[in-house]
């Protein structure tokens, strides 16, 4: 999609990553403590900063998960050019200074000339793959967390509904879907229920017998 912006950054909408760190990942770790398997998907990853932010967060705050679990961080985009940059893990000074906490820059990046390269242990945590959300999805594992941020807004309602339907089929029964900050009003609340966690709105599958409008699990404001 040549006309869709590829704008992104590390830890974009920091509050989202705080909700993942403080609530969502601890809950998923408890729930998956026996199978020790966790599948995460950045479904429109652009040049990779979103997926590397997840990897950094997990490596830094949940090192056991990064080292001893079957952790999959799949990052996909339709654009091969964006995927090539993402795979290289190399960013300009401006890109790393934008929202990346300095402690993470020190710990997980090396300066190479005028560029910064993400360290191999972070880079190797992420699998990049081309997936066009407008086409049938390839076979994917059930996802515990899907980040589908800042891409739906560029499609019309019918296409949004089609893409959300695909997310519905691949999201684990207790998994979480995250949209972009400006996308939460999108009408995806017929099959997903909004859940407010630490002032971030996420979406979960709505059980067929959900009678209270899906708002019973609010933990934030
Ligand atoms: C604005 S960026 C969002 C990047 C990141 N998710 C974020 O929130 O920072 C939108 C991305 O969607 C990708 N995109 C556009 N159409 C797509 C499609 N049909 N399938 C997969 N990705 C697509 C673009 O290539 C671009 O990288």
């Amino acid at each position: 999609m040549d006309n869709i912006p590829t704008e992104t950054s590390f830890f974009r909408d920091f509050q989202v990553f705080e909700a993942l760190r403080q609530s969502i990942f601890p809950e998923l770790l408890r729930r998956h403590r026996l199978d020790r398997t966790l599948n995460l998907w950045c479904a429109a990853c652009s040049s990779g900063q979103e997926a590397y932010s997840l990897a950094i967060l997990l490596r830094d705050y949940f090192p056991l998960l990064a080292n001893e679990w079957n952790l999959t961080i799949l990052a996909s985009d339709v654009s091969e050019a964006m995927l090539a940059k993402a795979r290289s893990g190399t960013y300009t000074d401006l890109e790393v200074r934008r929202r990346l906490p300095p402690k993470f820059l020190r710990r997980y990046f090396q300066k190479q000339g005028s560029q910064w390269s993400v360290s191999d242990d972070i880079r190797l945590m992420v699998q990049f793959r081309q997936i066009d959300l407008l086409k049938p999805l390839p076979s994917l594992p059930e996802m515990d967390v899907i980040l589908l941020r800042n891409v739906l807004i560029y499609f019309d309602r019918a296409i949004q509904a089609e893409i959300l339907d695909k997310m519905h089929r691949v999201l684990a029964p207790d998994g979480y879907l995250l949209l972009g900050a400006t996308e939460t009003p999108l009408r995806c609340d017929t099959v997903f229920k909004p859940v407010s966690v630490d002032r971030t709105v996420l979406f979960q599958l709505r059980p067929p017998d959900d009678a209270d409008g899906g708002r019973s699990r609010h933990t934030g404001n």
Side-chain angles (χ1 to χ4, degrees):
M1 292 279 122
D2 292 341
N3 51 347
I4 293 189
T6 53
E7 166 71 16
T8 190
S9 76
F10 290 100
F11 293 93
R12 184 177 191 175
D13 303 320
F14 198 75
Q15 195 62 38
V16 168
F17 291 89
E18 279 301 281
L20 287 169
R21 181 176 74 81
Q22 291 180 13
S23 301
I24 304 299
F25 286 139
E27 178 199 321
L28 289 172
L29 257 79
R30 276 195 301 279
R31 203 153 16 93
H32 287 272
R33 66 189 177 284
L34 295 182
D35 65 30
R36 292 189 160 217
T37 298
L38 206 59
N39 297 316
L40 318 177
W41 179 23
C42 295
C45 69
S46 187
S47 41
Q49 289 93 322
E50 186 177 64
Y52 288 133
S53 301
L54 277 183
I56 288 170
L57 193 81
L58 293 174
R59 171 75 68 190
D60 213 79
Y61 291 99
F62 307 93
L64 277 185
L65 201 162
N67 291 323
E68 294 178 13
W69 283 45
N70 299 314
L71 171 69
T72 299
I73 305 176
L74 172 66
S76 64
D77 201 279
V78 70
S79 162
E80 280 293 5
M82 285 300 111
L83 288 168
K85 176 169 164 80
R87 284 189 188 102
S88 79
T90 301
Y91 298 96
T92 64
D93 218 36
L94 198 65
E95 285 168 325
V96 295
R97 302 266 172 224
R98 244 182 110 196
R99 303 198 185 107
L100 180 67
K103 65 177 179 182
F104 292 153
L105 182 62
R106 282 195 304 275
R107 280 178 208 162
Y108 299 112
F109 289 79
Q110 287 102 38
K111 189 102 199 252
Q112 298 200 324
S114 60
Q115 303 273 91
W116 291 87
S117 290
V118 70
S119 64
D120 281 350
D121 54 343
I122 296 297
R123 200 171 46 77
L124 295 172
M125 286 173 70
V126 184
Q127 300 170 20
F128 290 100
R129 177 172 176 185
Q130 190 191 36
I131 296 179
D132 184 346
L133 297 171
L134 301 182
K135 296 189 176 156
L137 293 183
S139 165
L140 295 173
E142 209 170 55
M143 294 294 170
D144 299 295
V145 176
I146 300 175
L147 278 71
L148 178 70
R149 303 195 310 151
N150 305 301
V151 62
L152 280 184
I153 39 168
Y154 300 106
F155 296 114
D156 66 29
R157 294 277 281 272
I159 292 181
Q160 288 176 2
E162 275 174 35
I163 295 175
L164 286 169
D165 187 53
K166 290 174 188 162
M167 300 299 127
H168 189 268
R169 275 180 265 139
V170 77
L171 190 65
D174 293 318
Y176 290 93
L177 170 70
L178 286 104
L179 303 180
T182 58
E183 295 172 310
T184 42
L186 291 174
R187 290 187 55 79
C188 71
D189 53 357
T190 46
V191 288
F192 294 98
K193 61 176 178 179
V195 178
S196 173
V197 177
D198 302 336
R199 286 180 290 139
T200 292
V201 177
L202 303 92
F203 294 88
Q204 290 202 291
L205 299 186
R206 187 183 285 287
D209 59 348
D210 189 6
D212 72 346
R215 285 164 177 81
S216 59
R217 202 193 154 279
H218 281 211
T219 58
N221 301 339

